[in-house]
Amino acid sequence: MSRHSHGPRSSTSPHSRSESHLMNYSEEITDAELIKQVNDIKQQIRILSLENEIFERVIMRLEPTLMHGIQQALDYATKLQSSSPLSIGSFVKSQTSRYGFDSVITSPSRMFTSPSRVSTRRVDSSAKVSGTVIFGTGPRINVLERSELVSAEMEILIANLEKARKKAAKQHAFLKAQLEEIGVRETDIEKASEMFKQEVIVEGWDKIAQRIPAEIWIRFMTEWVKISDSHIGKFRLRTSTLNSQYSKLKGQIKVKAELSESLRAVDFDKLKIENSECLKTIDYKLQQLGELKKMTGDANLNLTVHKKAMMQQNGYLSNILQSIKEKQKQTAELDKEKDVIKVQAESLSQRLDDVRKVRLAYEVPDIMDYVNVKSEVADLKHSVKLLENRVHIQEIALASLNKKLKSIISNEM
């Protein structure tokens, strides 16, 4: 395949090429040059192998019948490597004419032309006569056509890889679900086994009869069946819910697929216009929202200022009410003291009257009695004076308190 695909690069005859090879080998070359030539030949072989693979894929995809007999021709050519190039060329030419490769040579646009342009090249009859398939001057495939072939094969490979990836993802998800199901089953089996060992084997063992009673076994199985039935009911309900959701989603996907098939370019233009109008409406609403935020901020600021002033007024009012309560308490106490002092003053005045009566009725008493009476009278006068002074002071304080109270009440009014 490599000789077939890249043979048209050289237009020289097989004899001239063999003579040039002999002249090159006859010359003396260094080891470094020999290694370089070997590496270059390996690189060319690698590139030719890749190109041959691409061409083989293209031929198998477009016209598989053309590949019949190619492998036999390549095997025979490998056996004839030690033979002359002329015999190999004539053999391959006979094989290609035998299996229908002349049609490929005469019409290269059938396979090797790009899909975007149709090649109208034709090969001359002289090229078919003078050149062979391997070393002849057959149809040439330029770099653009090669790149288009490689691009097409790469797209096909990418599509196949994407399909394989999706299939592997589905398989992976299916296997993961199976593993999760197996894990759940294993957990349930372990729990059931532990429950059976604990309730039947350990707790149900009758030490006297040295056996497990059948009633315990039957009761355990009955309870286990009830628990299993409840779990089955829950799983059935969940499965039915999931099935309904799946059918719903499947219907939505079908409707979307039908809508996507019925959509036209006008629908997208209409949707674009509606989206632009919606964006304009959103911008307008955002502007209104910004203005409302500003108004809300101003209102919150005013509210904070008034709230602070109200708190100050409430504090001042609470202080005034507290002072009024204290003054009222003091007024009540002063009223009580006034009543007490009034009672004392009345008693003292009564006593004074009695003393005066006694004095008027007294006639020339003894000197000592007179001195004693005088001292007592002086003491009584002193006490009366003190009481009067105290009463006067209390009256003055009461008048001042009443005045202050009237001023506070007038200010509040």
Side-chain angles (χ1 to χ4, degrees), residues 118-376:
V118 179
S119 177
T120 57
R121 292 177 299 173
R122 294 291 182 269
V123 182
D124 297 334
S125 60
S126 59
K128 286 193 290 183
V129 174
S130 61
T132 61
V133 175
I134 299 175
F135 300 108
T137 59
R140 295 179 180 273
I141 302 174
N142 56 22
V143 177
L144 181 60
E145 292 173 345
R146 292 178 187 176
S147 65
E148 289 180 354
L149 289 175
V150 172
S151 299
E153 291 299 320
M154 284 178 65
E155 289 177 358
I156 294 170
L157 286 174
I158 290 169
N160 293 331
L161 288 173
E162 188 67 22
K163 291 180 181 178
R165 188 186 66 79
K166 291 180 180 179
K167 185 177 179 181
K170 290 181 181 179
Q171 188 70 19
H172 182 266
F174 180 70
L175 294 174
K176 188 177 180 181
Q178 285 184 344
L179 289 174
E180 290 179 357
E181 183 183 0
I182 290 168
V184 171
R185 289 183 180 180
E186 184 180 359
T187 305
D188 293 337
I189 291 169
E190 289 178 355
K191 287 182 180 179
S193 177
E194 291 177 359
M195 189 184 298
F196 176 77
K197 289 180 181 179
Q198 183 67 27
E199 294 182 2
V200 177
I201 297 175
V202 177
E203 296 178 359
W205 179 259
D206 191 357
K207 296 181 180 180
I208 297 173
Q210 295 294 319
R211 64 186 180 83
I212 298 173
E215 294 83 4
I216 296 173
W217 171 267
I218 293 169
R219 186 173 66 251
F220 173 78
M221 292 301 296
T222 304
E223 292 177 355
W224 188 75
V225 168
K226 288 180 180 179
I227 294 169
S228 299
D229 290 336
S230 65
H231 286 306
I232 289 168
K234 291 179 180 178
F235 288 145
R236 282 178 178 174
L237 181 61
R238 187 175 178 182
T239 304
S240 63
T241 305
L242 291 174
N243 287 329
S244 63
Q245 290 179 357
Y246 174 73
S247 61
K248 184 178 179 181
L249 292 173
K250 191 174 180 181
Q252 290 178 358
I253 291 169
K254 186 177 179 181
V255 170
K256 288 182 179 179
E258 292 176 355
L259 289 175
S260 64
E261 290 178 357
S262 62
L263 288 175
R264 298 292 183 270
V266 179
D267 298 328
F268 290 103
D269 294 335
K270 182 179 178 182
L271 184 62
K272 189 182 293 183
I273 293 168
E274 291 177 355
N275 290 332
S276 63
E277 292 178 355
C278 292
L279 288 173
K280 290 179 181 178
T281 307
I282 289 168
D283 293 335
Y284 179 69
K285 296 295 181 182
L286 288 174
Q287 290 178 1
Q288 290 183 348
L289 181 62
E291 292 177 358
L292 289 174
K293 284 182 178 180
K294 289 180 181 179
M295 294 173 64
T296 306
D298 295 335
N300 288 327
L301 183 60
N302 293 327
L303 179 63
T304 305
V305 172
H306 288 88
K307 188 177 180 181
K308 188 175 181 182
M310 187 180 69
M311 289 175 67
Q312 292 177 356
Q313 293 293 330
N314 288 329
Y316 181 69
L317 179 61
S318 62
N319 292 329
I320 290 173
L321 293 174
Q322 187 68 26
S323 64
I324 289 170
K325 289 181 181 179
E326 291 178 356
K327 296 300 179 183
Q328 288 176 355
K329 287 181 181 179
Q330 291 178 3
T331 304
E333 291 176 357
L334 289 173
D335 290 336
K336 289 179 181 179
E337 288 181 359
K338 181 182 177 181
D339 294 335
V340 172
I341 291 169
K342 188 176 181 180
V343 172
Q344 290 178 358
E346 288 177 354
S347 64
L348 288 173
S349 63
Q350 186 67 31
R351 188 178 178 183
L352 181 60
D353 292 336
D354 294 337
V355 170
R356 284 176 180 174
K357 289 178 181 180
V358 172
R359 183 181 177 184
L360 292 172
Y362 185 74
E363 295 178 354
V364 187
D366 191 6
I367 295 171
M368 292 302 297
D369 293 333
Y370 178 74
V371 172
N372 290 327
V373 170
K374 290 291 282 187
S375 65
E376 289 179 0

Side-chain angles (χ1 to χ4, degrees), residues 60-108:
M60 291 298 295
R61 180 165 54 86
L62 297 177
E63 194 67 31
T65 57
L66 298 176
M67 292 299 295
H68 296 314
I70 293 296
Q71 190 63 36
Q72 296 178 1
L74 292 175
D75 293 337
Y76 191 78
T78 304
K79 293 178 182 180
L80 295 177
Q81 283 183 357
S82 59
S83 302
S84 62
L86 184 60
S87 60
I88 297 173
S90 60
F91 170 76
V92 176
K93 183 177 179 181
S94 63
Q95 291 292 328
T96 53
S97 62
R98 178 184 176 183
Y99 292 105
F101 270 84
D102 289 336
S103 61
V104 179
I105 296 171
T106 55
S107 59

